Each structure stands twice: as C-alpha cells, then as structure tokens.
Amino acid sequence: QVQLVESGGGLVQAGGSLRLSCTASTSIVSINTMGWYRQAPGERRELVAQITSGGVTDYADSVKGRFTVSRDNAKNTVYLQMNSLKPEDTAGYYCRANYRDWRGSYWGQGTQVTVSS
C-alpha cells in the first residue's frame, strides 16, 4: 500500500559519491525495516543496506565503510550515502519497505547507478 519514490541515481566516475533518497507516502515510523537493494544485469537482487525503526543498521560486506544508510522520520525518507564508488557498484538500486508482519513488503521503482572507471 505504501508508495516509495526514489531519486538520486546517475552517472558518476569511480571514487565519486552519490546520495540516494527514498520517500514514502506514509510515516516510516510504522515500517519495521527500510532497505536498499541492488541488481546488476544477469545477477540476483541483493541487500545493500537496511535500517530498522529502532535505528539498527546492517550492510553488505562489499559496501561496509563506504555506504551509510540513514532515515529522517519527519520527512518519511531513507537515504543511502554512497562514497568511494567503484565500477562494481553499477546496478539498479531499489528501496524496500518491510513491515515484517501481515502487511508484507513493498518495492520502489528503482534508480540506476552507473560508475565509470
């Protein structure tokens, strides 16, 4: 039921930075976990980073120390700060709202991140 709108993707050179935003149509306080996933062509969609309503974060090993997930409850928005980008970070990035109850989970439309060498 929640609508997720993503922004911030684009083309960047290796070593550069991007900040992705995911804005929900409802209060994210009611959503247990907000996460960022990515999927490159021919590959499985994988978890990049997530943050719970209590502020607990989790990251894929490949992005630890480079990416930071945060949330602004007042703006109903979750961010993914991406620093020191590498060509292997190139993928479609998707926001996910996971209620972790009967309401299930919902996906954003995705935004493309392309990192050139």
Side-chain angles (χ1 to χ4, degrees):
Q1 187 174 72
V2 62
Q3 182 180 3
L4 304 174
V5 180
E6 300 163 317
S7 63
L11 175 64
V12 65
Q13 295 186 65
S17 298
L18 286 173
R19 190 193 195 195
L20 306 184
S21 299
C22 172
T23 299
S25 60
T26 63
S27 173
I28 61 173
V29 174
S30 301
I31 303 172
N32 183 273
T33 306
M34 298 292 296
W36 287 97
Y37 293 71
R38 68 186 181 189
Q39 185 172 25
E43 300 183 8
R44 292 178 173 270
R45 187 170 297 184
E46 64 175 355
L47 175 68
V48 177
Q50 63 182 24
I51 184 168
T52 71
S53 59
V56 178
T57 59
D58 192 29
Y59 298 91
D61 288 341
S62 60
V63 307
K64 286 181 179 177
R66 300 189 297 121
F67 291 9
T68 303
V69 63
S70 62
R71 57 192 290 162
D72 186 335
N73 291 339
K75 295 182 177 180
N76 294 328
T77 299
V78 176
Y79 303 96
L80 184 66
Q81 180 65 48
M82 310 165 69
N83 298 327
S84 302
L85 283 163
K86 305 174 181 179
E88 50 262 46
D89 294 319
T90 296
Y93 283 72
Y94 300 85
C95 181
R96 184 194 186 202
N98 190 358
Y99 288 91
R100 293 191 179 276
D101 62 17
W102 63 272
R103 290 171 286 184
S105 63
Y106 299 84
W107 294 92
Q109 79 289 345
T111 184
Q112 179 67 31
V113 172
T114 302
V115 184
S116 62
S117 60

